[in-house]
């Protein structure tokens, strides 16, 4: 069979969408094809390297700082490029998908930065991929508005400072099946980056800003090097000055936590900072150490806060690393969604958010994430109290911090055990999130928390780990093992509860059975799926 004839354009294989021609221009599709040919082979090699490293962790049950890059860590002379003015003050960042309503609300929110998310907070339907790009273009052109089904109209503020956009493309593992080049799907990361950069880089420069990115699920400094090479090529290709791009890397994998300085070094001409997350980070720990014995078993996900000793080691090392190299350290997510009916729930949750943000500001972080506009003033007040008129606290070097390799994976330092309620919550949240994701929603309010794909990943991973590690929990006064049979029973009960809660008609109109079946597939299969979103993507319309 002969190889497909190379095309100068990436080929679209999808039903047409309104106004897609404004995004999928011939020039943009040619740019995607160029990115694909130059960089997808290296992407493939790095994905293979992930598998090799994971096998090594399974064999040794350990991780360490890399001896071959010690010279980078020991060289005190290098720094990342100075932050552009638009990213000098990042004390509050709001996150969310790029649907039309969220685009307006995030830009108007009062946050300094909006993480415009094509990754975990966005189900990668073709509509979301293309129209999300269009919404950003419309926002920059100030021609965006939205009217809700209830008749409420949303529009950008006519004056005043809007949040600076930092766009998050998809991770390297997910291909975009609706765009092909040379007979292969183009990686979703290149689609998201390429379309955004092609259409907006010059426009943003003219606005006094630039194309800024959050890089997700990075697992090594070699993956950071790939991104840096992409930035260099893209800037040259479109005639944008080198160093215009800025990237903040999410340290949300356990392997990346051991390579933070090297990641900043590889991106040093384009680096803006590092971010400390929770759910993807815990998911990565389970994924990599899932068959390494009981000492790596995590308790209920809500019991693992950022104050757990191994999480403190991770976040404090991140702050020290960033400030040593002149980069911003950005803290984790406040995911609470205010209740419209229960003021007491809101008061208690707001107090927890305030304490969390005060802790981050006190630890030296330069900013932090929130999921809802009502949390912006709370986070801002916490950082204002520490920063005052300063844009950041990068001068606080945290030289008191000394973290060993073993401390980053000292799961046993957390004195908490898995519980039956934790198992039930994992099943409940997993089914409810996956059902919404299959309908095209990536950011979903569940039990007053804004959940995204990382939530489902840690939920199903913990179920898998607890079964395979022989975990026991207390239920109805008895000690019972966590087994596939128990999980199936809990899942069946949850499905019945949802049917009762929603009513038969709404239940039938949803994707509940598919969500139930997929959760059990990725939680119970002997072969652990690297990402839940890979089999889930095959079910997306």
């Amino acid at each position: 069979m002969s190889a497909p004839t190379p095309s100068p354009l990436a080929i679209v294989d999808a039903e047409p969408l309104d106004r897609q021609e404004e995004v999928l221009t011939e020039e943009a599709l040619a740019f995607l094809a160029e990115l694909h040919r130059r960089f997808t082979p290296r992407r493939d090699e790095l994905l293979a390297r992930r598998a090799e490293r994971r096998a090594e962790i399974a064999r040794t049950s350990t991780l360490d700082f890399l001896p071959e890059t010690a010279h980078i860590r020991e060289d005190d002379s290098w720094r990342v490029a100075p932050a552009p003015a638009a990213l000098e003050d990042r004390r509050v960042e709001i996150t969310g998908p790029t649907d039309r309503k969220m685009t307006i609300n995030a830009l108007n929110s009062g946050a300094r930065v909006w993480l415009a998310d094509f990754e975990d907070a966005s189900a990668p339907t073709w509509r979301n991929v293309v129209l999300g790009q269009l919404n950003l273009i419309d926002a920059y052109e100030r021609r965006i508005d939205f009217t809700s089904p209830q008749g409420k109209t949303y529009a950008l503020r006519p004056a005043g400072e809007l949040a600076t956009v930092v766009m998050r493309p998809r991770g390297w593992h997910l291909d975009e099946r609706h765009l092909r080049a040379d007979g292969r799907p183009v990686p979703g990361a290149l689609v998201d980056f390429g379309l955004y950069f092609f259409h907006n880089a010059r426009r943003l420069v003219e606005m006094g800003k630039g194309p800024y990115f959050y890089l997700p699920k990075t697992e090594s400094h070699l993956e950071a090097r790939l991104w840096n090479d992409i930035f260099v090529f893209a800037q040259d290709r479109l005639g944008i000055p080198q160093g215009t791009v800025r990237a903040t890397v999410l340290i949300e994998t356990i392997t990346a936590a051991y390579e933070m300085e090297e990641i900043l070094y590889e991106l040093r001409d384009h680096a803006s900072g590092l971010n400390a997350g929770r759910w993807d980070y815990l998911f990565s720990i389970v994924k990599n150490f899932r068959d390494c014995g009981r000492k790596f078993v995590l308790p209920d996900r809500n019991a693992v806060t950022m104050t757990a000793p191994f999480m403190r080691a991770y976040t404090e090392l991140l702050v020290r690393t960033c400030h040593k190299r002149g980069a911003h350290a950005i803290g984790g997510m406040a995911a609470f969604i205010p209740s419209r009916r229960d003021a007491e729930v809101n008061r208690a949750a707001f107090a927890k958010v305030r304490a969390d943000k005060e802790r981050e500001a006190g630890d030296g972080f330069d900013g932090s994430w929130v999921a809802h506009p009502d949390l912006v003033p709370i986070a801002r007040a916490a950082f204002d109290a520490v920063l005052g008129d300063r844009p950041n606290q990068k001068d606080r070097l945290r030289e008191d911090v000394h973290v060993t390799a073993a401390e980053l994976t000292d799961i046993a330092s957390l004195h908490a055990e898995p519980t039956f309620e934790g198992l039930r919550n994992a099943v409940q949240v997993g089914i409810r999130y996956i059902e919404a994701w299959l309908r095209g929603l990536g950011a979903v309010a569940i039990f007053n928390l804004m959940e995204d794909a990382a939530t489902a990943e840690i939920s199903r991973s913990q179920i898998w780990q607890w079964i395979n590690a022989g975990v026991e929990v207390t239920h109805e006064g008895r000690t019972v093992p966590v087994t596939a049979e128990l999980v199936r029973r809990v899942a069946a009960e949850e499905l019945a509860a949802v049917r009762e809660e929603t009513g038969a008609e709404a239940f039938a109109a949803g994707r509940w059975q598919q969500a139930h079946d997929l959760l059990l597939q990725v939680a119970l299969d002997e072969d652990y799926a690297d990402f839940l979103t890979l089999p889930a993507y095959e079910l997306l319309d």
Side-chain angles (χ1 to χ4, degrees):
M1 184 175 179
S2 60
T5 302
S7 167
L9 307 181
I11 306 301
V12 178
D13 181 15
E15 291 296 318
L17 299 167
D18 289 343
R19 297 181 62 196
Q20 74 169 32
E21 69 279 358
E22 298 175 46
V23 176
L24 304 173
T25 64
E26 284 199 5
E27 294 83 359
L29 293 173
F31 183 60
L32 293 184
E34 283 189 272
L35 290 173
H36 175 68
R37 289 194 188 98
R38 287 176 176 266
F39 299 110
T40 297
R42 276 178 59 193
R43 188 285 305 250
D44 295 344
E45 293 171 2
L46 290 169
L47 290 184
R49 186 178 183 276
R50 286 182 180 182
E52 293 168 2
R53 194 172 195 190
R54 179 10 236 173
E56 179 67 10
I57 293 169
R59 187 181 66 81
T60 64
S61 299
T62 190
L63 273 170
D64 204 345
F65 301 106
L66 300 179
E68 63 268 29
T69 55
H71 63 285
I72 294 173
R73 299 191 299 276
E74 294 164 1
D75 180 356
D76 291 335
S77 66
W78 64 269
R79 299 289 185 276
V80 303
L87 292 178
E88 188 67 14
D89 189 330
R90 303 178 62 172
R91 66 188 70 200
V92 187
E93 304 192 350
I94 193 167
T95 71
T98 55
D99 62 82
R100 211 155 181 85
K101 179 181 174 182
M102 181 67 198
T103 296
I104 297 166
N105 285 345
L107 291 171
N108 286 342
S109 66
R112 296 283 184 166
V113 165
W114 170 36
L115 188 160
D117 199 3
F118 286 85
E119 203 233 0
D120 273 0
S122 180
T125 65
W126 183 235
R127 171 173 290 273
N128 287 345
V129 168
V130 175
L131 298 190
Q133 297 281 351
L134 185 64
N135 290 336
L136 293 173
I137 294 169
D138 283 351
Y140 293 140
E141 294 293 321
R142 283 193 169 267
R143 62 188 183 206
I144 189 170
D145 58 25
F146 174 79
T147 301
S148 72
Q150 294 76 31
K152 184 176 180 180
T153 298
Y154 300 81
L156 294 181
R157 293 196 308 260
E161 185 67 21
L162 301 177
T164 293
V165 174
V166 180
M167 193 275 267
R168 177 161 71 167
R170 281 169 281 179
W172 281 124
H173 61 284
L174 192 66
D175 287 338
E176 174 50 66
R177 69 170 184 252
H178 300 96
L179 273 172
R180 303 179 71 84
D182 301 345
R184 288 192 57 190
V186 180
L190 294 181
V191 173
D192 299 339
F193 165 81
L195 291 175
Y196 182 76
F197 187 89
F198 183 85
H199 288 294
N200 299 300
R202 292 192 187 93
R203 179 185 287 115
L204 286 162
V205 169
E206 291 169 2
M207 293 168 58
K209 296 187 176 183
Y212 306 141
F213 299 92
Y214 258 110
L215 304 181
K217 294 180 174 58
T218 300
E219 296 201 13
S220 74
H221 69 286
L222 298 180
E223 294 180 18
R225 182 183 299 170
L226 172 59
W227 271 117
N228 195 74
D229 290 347
I230 291 167
F231 297 156
V232 170
F233 169 78
Q235 289 168 126
D236 274 349
R237 178 69 176 76
L238 267 65
I240 305 297
Q242 287 296 328
T244 302
V245 169
R246 284 293 189 276
T248 305
V249 180
L250 293 111
I251 303 300
E252 56 186 356
T253 68
I254 185 61
T255 52
Y258 288 84
E259 300 182 35
M260 287 192 273
E261 288 196 72
E262 294 92 327
I263 286 168
L264 285 176
Y265 181 81
E266 295 293 344
L267 285 160
R268 60 194 179 278
D269 294 333
H270 300 105
S272 178
L274 303 177
N275 168 271
R278 181 162 48 143
W279 298 142
D280 261 318
Y281 189 74
L282 295 177
F283 158 51
S284 175
I285 291 174
V286 174
K287 178 164 67 171
N288 281 285
F289 290 92
R290 62 184 181 267
D291 44 16
C292 294
R294 285 296 298 270
K295 75 175 191 174
F296 292 101
V297 171
L298 290 172
D300 304 359
R301 71 172 180 120
N302 291 322
V304 188
T305 68
M306 296 303 254
T307 61
F310 70 98
M311 296 297 281
R312 288 286 288 166
Y314 149 59
T315 55
E316 292 201 310
L317 180 61
L318 186 145
V319 172
R320 173 170 179 152
T321 299
C322 286
H323 290 182
K324 176 182 178 182
R325 303 305 181 180
H328 282 74
I330 307 299
M333 170 72 82
F336 177 70
I337 302 299
S339 170
R340 297 179 180 178
R341 296 183 295 273
D342 196 329
E344 185 54 40
V345 166
N346 290 344
R347 277 193 291 271
F350 287 164
K352 289 182 179 180
V353 170
R354 186 177 300 108
D356 188 51
K357 298 311 171 190
E358 288 173 349
R359 175 190 55 77
E360 287 181 326
D363 283 348
F365 281 96
D366 303 293
S368 190
W369 283 5
V370 300
H372 192 278
D374 286 356
L375 303 182
V376 169
I378 298 173
R380 185 170 56 229
F383 279 89
D384 285 350
V386 172
L387 296 179
D389 293 333
R390 296 178 298 157
N392 55 64
Q393 52 181 334
K394 289 191 288 188
D395 58 340
R396 190 173 171 205
L397 299 180
R398 292 304 313 270
E399 292 177 336
D400 57 305
V401 172
H402 302 282
V403 174
T404 66
E407 287 174 319
L408 289 171
T409 53
D410 186 12
I411 311 303
S413 64
L414 180 60
H415 299 296
E417 296 292 332
T419 70
F420 180 80
E421 285 310 309
L423 175 66
R424 182 178 294 282
N425 181 261
V427 172
Q428 289 176 318
V429 173
I431 290 176
R432 288 168 186 257
Y433 180 81
I434 294 170
E435 193 278 334
W437 196 91
L438 294 175
R439 289 186 288 110
L441 301 176
V444 187
I446 303 174
F447 307 143
N448 287 115
L449 292 177
M450 184 60 74
E451 309 285 20
D452 66 12
T455 303
E457 292 286 22
I458 182 61
S459 295
R460 64 94 180 188
S461 296
Q462 287 202 280
I463 296 169
W464 193 100
Q465 184 186 44
W466 291 0
I467 292 171
N468 286 274
V471 165
E472 295 180 332
V473 295
T474 300
H475 179 48
E476 297 179 343
R478 296 183 301 113
T479 299
V480 297
V482 178
T483 62
E485 180 184 359
L486 177 63
V487 172
R488 289 192 185 97
R489 188 166 74 245
V490 172
E493 291 170 358
E494 172 61 12
L495 205 60
V498 168
R499 187 183 291 107
E500 179 71 21
E501 175 187 320
T502 61
E505 186 176 346
F507 182 88
R511 306 284 293 270
W512 293 104
Q513 190 65 51
Q514 276 187 310
H516 165 277
D517 294 350
L518 181 58
L519 177 69
L520 293 185
Q521 174 189 329
V522 295
L524 304 184
D525 276 5
E526 183 177 347
D527 292 331
Y528 178 93
D530 278 345
F531 293 96
L532 157 70
T533 48
L534 291 173
Y537 187 49
E538 300 305 312
L539 302 176
L540 272 186
D541 293 335

